[in-house]
Amino acid sequence: NVRLEGTDYNPELTGWCLANLEFARFGLNRLEPPTSYADGAFGLVYAFSVFTHLPEPLQHAWMAELRRILEPGGYLALSTMPPRMLPDDDTRARFAAGRLVVLNATDAGANNCIAFHPTEYMKETLATGFDVLEFVPDGVGQDFWLLRKKAAPP
């Protein structure tokens, strides 16, 4: 009784999935939200190597969209770049100060747009509306986060 769906803004990636993964449905979205999914449509959403390639405004927009399509109490698994990948002393200093570091922000969605999320930033800013259940540094080749959407107030 599991329904698997995937969406991406890259037609080449979704095309490959459509041709090779018959057990799920796939579609395209734009670089900016929304998706076509209904409010509360999913109990689990994962976004690996997604927030790692978006500038800050798009990250907030996508977190809001993922909150919208997750049911109350639903889980969000996502990855962020590990700090060992920071390229220089300046970016390491900004990261150590708890600031989001985004390189090549004008290339949103491309691999050369790279975002680094300090733990404090994730917990206090980006994960608003979620409880942080787990953080595993380098857990999936990137840092792994498991969040749970807070239940709607009664």
Side-chain angles (χ1 to χ4, degrees), residues 14-70:
T14 55
W16 185 92
C17 291
L18 284 165
N20 293 282
L21 305 174
E22 297 177 6
F23 57 84
R25 290 187 291 187
F26 297 94
L28 284 171
N29 57 266
R30 295 180 333 181
L31 187 57
E32 305 85 14
T35 63
S36 61
Y37 301 116
D39 294 358
F42 298 101
L44 169 68
V45 170
Y46 77 89
F48 285 10
S49 205
V50 172
F51 290 90
T52 54
H53 300 292
L54 297 174
E56 189 171 23
L58 280 175
Q59 291 185 36
H60 288 286
W62 276 109
M63 284 299 281
E65 176 66 1
L66 298 180
R67 272 192 306 275
R68 183 187 72 77
I69 66 173
L70 272 169

Side-chain angles (χ1 to χ4, degrees), residues 80-144:
T80 57
M81 292 298 286
R84 66 178 163 74
M85 303 289 288
L86 287 159
D88 55 45
D89 289 341
D90 177 57
T91 57
R92 283 190 284 279
R94 287 188 286 156
F95 185 89
R99 294 177 29 217
L100 175 69
V101 175
V102 180
L103 307 175
N104 305 309
T106 58
D107 293 329
N111 286 341
N112 63 323
C113 176
I114 304 172
F116 296 87
H117 302 77
T119 304
E120 304 84 18
Y121 177 85
M122 282 295 294
K123 289 180 177 179
E124 297 170 12
T125 304
L126 199 59
T128 300
F130 290 92
D131 293 316
V132 176
L133 301 180
E134 192 74 42
F135 170 61
V136 183
D138 257 330
V140 291
Q142 295 182 356
D143 293 346
F144 172 80

